[in-house]
């Protein structure tokens, strides 16, 4: 075991006594933005959800974590076990401590084999002689009760024809019992793709089968595919990934990077897509992953690469989305929070707002209303400084406007508004949790997930016409 400790490449094993507790005290100073029912890192930076798996009884959930600061440093896998997504218990982490993961345990996925959890992940390393990045693909075995049993490297470099950007293996079992995993990759001509590897069993050596082909996707400008994910929805295959470099458009693909899905049929390595779309059209949503071994559920990272947030000064950054249930409707993916979130809503009531209303704890409330396919405009959290977030609909386009909230670098670099085209808008659901809003339209036909930052709250809601809202409060999660 090696204890890495070089600048931001510092492992938990190098933490000084009391160091994390001190960082946690800084985190606790944040009175405005820490969520109550979204998973946020205890300290430091969280990014991609990893290794999501249902083991037959419990759900295992890992995420990318740098414990020491709100920046992308040495990545660990934080690990929780839960049965209900309300109560989370800590389990063994993946801590980088071997040469084949010297610069971080990067993203990956999990599959259940022989009653254990086989975790495939990328070992980020840098060659000491010239600092060149070399990606390993590694395997770690966890018991169902969350103990790390072993780990070993499987592949020691990127295959020929690809750059050092080969990462994020997501494993699955084939019908004939072999193990396949798909990695995000960059070709030597700097275009993005995914690679499929196969191994006979866990003791085996992976061989490269080739690229996953997806001709229906317009790959123009795309230089990297991150976090590929494959699952089954009824008789359809669902491929989710995060392409980087796709040109931004006014009303879709509005961020710098995107989370996209293709729904269709996978024939060996050929993906015949019938539908390709963005998963979420908000400001902050990336690298989602589905759970292996259950009805399709998904977590996303409420964040994007390369952004800073106003919480960085409190030494924490980003959170996960709520767990979402995916379903197939009209040949498209619909997503909404899992049943349990709705079941645990408290103090449900109906409130009619003529023009303005003070709603208790609006900053962590769930709101639902029928838009009747008519234009509307809603403002949240109006305060003395007149900071507010606006959600409006013109009969065709929904617009989320952050121009009157605290400015962030993403607002400055990537614009103040996000749009979502939706006809016949009836149901609008908004889950506020301090500095995040997850918005679902028409029972999950479209989703928009965004961070927003408003300092002092008076919990006020303003509307341009009378509106009857269902209001409730999602249950606070508990982490131990
Ligand atoms: C996506 C990503 C992955 C990588 C991980 C590192 O957000 O860049 O491709 O494995 O984050 O934290």
């Amino acid at each position: 075991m090696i204890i890495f400790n070089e600048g931001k490449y510092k492992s938990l094993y190098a933490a000084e006594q009391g160091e994390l507790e001190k960082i946690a005290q800084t985190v606790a100073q944040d009175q405005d933005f820490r969520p109550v029912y979204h998973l946020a890192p205890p300290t430091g930076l969280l990014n991609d959800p990893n290794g999501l798996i249902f083991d037959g009884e419990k759900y295992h959930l890992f995420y990318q974590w740098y414990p020491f600061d709100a920046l992308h440093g040495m990545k660990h896998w934080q690990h929780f076990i839960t049965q209900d997504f309300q109560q989370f218990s800590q389990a063994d982490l993946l801590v980088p401590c071997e040469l084949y993961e010297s610069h971080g345990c990067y993203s990956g996925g999990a599959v259940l084999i022989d009653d254990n959890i086989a975790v495939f992940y990328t070992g980020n390393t840098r060659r000491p002689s010239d600092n060149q990045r070399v990606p390993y693909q590694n395997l770690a075995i966890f018991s169902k009760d969350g103990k790390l049993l072993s780990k070993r490297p499987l592949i020691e470099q990127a295959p020929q024809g690809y750059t050092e950007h080969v990462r994020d293996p997501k494993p699955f079992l084939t019908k004939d019992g072999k193990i396949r995993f798909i990695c995000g990759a960059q070709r030597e001509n700097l275009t993005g793709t995914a690679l499929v590897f196969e191994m006979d069993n866990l003791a085996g050596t992976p061989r490269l089968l080739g690229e996953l082909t997806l001709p229906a996707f317009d790959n123009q400008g795309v230089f990297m595919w991150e976090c590929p994910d494959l699952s089954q929805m009824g008789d359809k295959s669902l491929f989710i990934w995060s392409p980087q470099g796709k040109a931004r458009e006014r009303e879709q693909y509005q961020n710098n990077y995107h989370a996209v899905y293709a729904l269709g049929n996978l024939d060996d390595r050929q993906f015949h897509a019938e539908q390709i779309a963005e998963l979420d059209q908000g400001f902050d949503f990336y690298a989602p992953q589905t759970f292996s071994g259950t009805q399709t559920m998904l977590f996303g990272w409420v964040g994007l690469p390369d952004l800073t947030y106003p919480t960085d000064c409190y030494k924490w950054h980003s959170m996960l989305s709520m767990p979402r249930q995916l379903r197939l409707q009209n040949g498209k993916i619909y997503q909404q929070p899992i049943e349990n979130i709705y079941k645990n809503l408290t103090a449900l009531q109906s409130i009619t707002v003529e023009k303005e209303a003070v709603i208790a704890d609006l900053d962590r409330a769930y709101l639902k209303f029928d838009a009747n396919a008519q234009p509307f405009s809603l403002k949240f959290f109006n305060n003395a400084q007149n900071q507010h977030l606006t959600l409006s609909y013109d009969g065709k386009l929904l617009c989320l406007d952050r121009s009157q909230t605290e400015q962030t670098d993403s607002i400055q670099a990537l614009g103040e508004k996000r749009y979502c085209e939706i006809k016949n808008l009836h149901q609008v659901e908004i889950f506020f949790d301090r500095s995040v809003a997850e918005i679902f339209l028409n029972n999950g036909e479209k989703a928009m997930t965004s961070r927003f930052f408003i300092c002092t709250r008076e919990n006020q809601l303003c509307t341009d016409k009378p509106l009857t809202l269902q209001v409730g409060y999602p249950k606070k999660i508990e982490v131990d």
Side-chain angles (χ1 to χ4, degrees), residues 116-289:
N116 281 327
I117 296 167
V119 154
F120 290 69
Y121 68 103
T122 298
N124 185 42
T125 76
R126 290 198 175 258
R127 205 159 50 201
S129 55
D130 56 1
N131 205 33
Q132 169 65 36
R133 187 199 294 268
V134 182
Y136 281 66
Q137 311 308 328
N138 303 330
L139 171 66
I141 307 293
F142 287 82
S143 63
K144 283 181 173 178
D145 60 358
K147 299 262 178 312
L148 174 63
L149 303 177
S150 66
K151 56 183 178 180
R152 72 175 177 106
L154 294 174
I155 304 177
E156 307 201 344
Q157 59 189 17
Q160 255 211 328
Y162 300 89
T163 72
E164 75 270 28
H165 295 291
V166 175
R167 57 176 173 265
D168 311 337
K170 170 82 185 192
F172 60 97
L173 297 177
T174 63
K175 288 202 182 86
D176 56 355
K178 297 209 165 94
I179 306 162
R180 282 193 178 186
F181 57 90
I182 307 185
C183 289
Q186 181 181 61
R187 301 187 190 100
E188 255 166 15
N189 67 5
L190 306 189
T191 55
T193 187
L195 295 176
V196 184
F197 295 85
E198 187 173 86
M199 351 181 4
D200 294 334
N201 50 50
L202 283 181
T205 308
R207 36 187 191 275
L208 175 63
L209 299 181
E211 293 186 2
L212 178 106
T213 62
L214 181 55
F217 179 64
D218 178 4
N219 210 29
Q220 189 164 5
V222 174
F223 58 86
M224 174 65 188
W225 288 13
E226 292 192 314
C227 302
D229 182 88
L230 193 65
S231 55
Q232 201 63 28
M233 297 219 57
D235 60 352
K236 298 282 176 225
S237 303
L238 175 65
F239 180 61
I240 294 177
W241 78 113
S242 296
Q244 297 188 309
K246 200 166 174 52
R248 295 176 59 208
E249 296 174 21
R250 196 181 121 87
E251 286 155 20
Q252 56 174 355
Y253 301 112
Q254 299 156 92
N255 294 326
N256 53 351
Y257 304 132
H258 314 106
V260 181
Y261 76 86
L263 188 69
N265 295 300
L266 179 65
D267 177 11
D268 194 30
R269 285 182 292 108
Q270 272 81 49
F271 200 100
H272 306 287
E274 290 154 12
Q275 170 76 14
I276 295 185
E278 242 182 316
L279 262 175
D280 190 294
Q281 289 183 243
F283 282 91
D284 306 85
F285 192 80
Y286 196 67
Q289 186 179 102

Side-chain angles (χ1 to χ4, degrees), residues 53-68:
I53 189 159
F54 179 60
D55 71 10
E57 278 175 22
K58 308 170 270 38
Y59 297 88
H60 290 252
L61 152 73
F62 302 81
Y63 61 73
Q64 287 282 284
W65 184 39
Y66 177 57
F68 297 103

Side-chain angles (χ1 to χ4, degrees), residues 186-419:
Q186 181 181 61
R187 301 187 190 100
E188 255 166 15
N189 67 5
L190 306 189
T191 55
T193 187
L195 295 176
V196 184
F197 295 85
E198 187 173 86
M199 351 181 4
D200 294 334
N201 50 50
L202 283 181
T205 308
R207 36 187 191 275
L208 175 63
L209 299 181
E211 293 186 2
L212 178 106
T213 62
L214 181 55
F217 179 64
D218 178 4
N219 210 29
Q220 189 164 5
V222 174
F223 58 86
M224 174 65 188
W225 288 13
E226 292 192 314
C227 302
D229 182 88
L230 193 65
S231 55
Q232 201 63 28
M233 297 219 57
D235 60 352
K236 298 282 176 225
S237 303
L238 175 65
F239 180 61
I240 294 177
W241 78 113
S242 296
Q244 297 188 309
K246 200 166 174 52
R248 295 176 59 208
E249 296 174 21
R250 196 181 121 87
E251 286 155 20
Q252 56 174 355
Y253 301 112
Q254 299 156 92
N255 294 326
N256 53 351
Y257 304 132
H258 314 106
V260 181
Y261 76 86
L263 188 69
N265 295 300
L266 179 65
D267 177 11
D268 194 30
R269 285 182 292 108
Q270 272 81 49
F271 200 100
H272 306 287
E274 290 154 12
Q275 170 76 14
I276 295 185
E278 242 182 316
L279 262 175
D280 190 294
Q281 289 183 243
F283 282 91
D284 306 85
F285 192 80
Y286 196 67
Q289 186 179 102
T290 59
F291 274 85
S292 308
T294 181
Q295 293 273 352
T296 310
M297 278 170 50
L298 160 149
F299 269 108
W301 168 27
V302 182
L304 283 172
D306 309 332
L307 298 185
T308 59
Y309 288 112
T311 62
D312 291 5
C313 62
Y314 298 113
K315 291 194 180 287
W316 76 274
H317 180 115
S318 290
M319 62 180 83
L320 291 184
S321 69
M322 285 179 284
R324 294 182 186 176
Q325 186 69 56
L326 305 186
R327 60 175 207 283
L328 237 173
Q329 202 173 312
N330 309 325
K332 291 187 200 147
I333 294 296
Y334 278 56
Q335 37 183 334
Q336 272 174 305
I338 57 164
E339 196 59 41
N340 224 23
I341 307 263
Y342 289 100
K343 269 202 215 139
N344 283 306
L345 287 171
T346 56
L348 266 178
Q349 54 180 317
S350 173
I351 298 178
T352 299
V353 180
E354 290 299 326
K355 227 168 162 274
E356 283 177 12
V358 173
I359 294 175
D361 297 322
L362 184 59
D363 63 332
R364 54 175 187 81
Y366 162 70
L367 308 182
K368 182 167 99 170
F369 61 93
D370 187 344
N372 288 313
Q374 295 300 314
F376 68 82
S377 172
L378 278 182
K379 285 187 186 153
F380 303 96
F381 306 130
N382 230 346
N383 69 7
Q385 283 107 42
N386 206 25
Q387 286 182 318
H388 54 258
L389 182 71
T390 308
L391 187 70
S392 58
Y393 182 60
D394 65 3
K396 188 172 156 267
L397 272 185
L398 189 89
C399 174
L400 183 67
D401 181 345
R402 292 198 302 192
S403 61
Q404 303 307 310
T405 63
E406 197 169 311
Q407 295 298 293
T408 65
D409 65 353
S410 70
I411 293 182
Q412 272 141 23
L414 302 170
E416 299 170 329
K417 296 177 181 161
R418 288 292 175 268
Y419 295 97

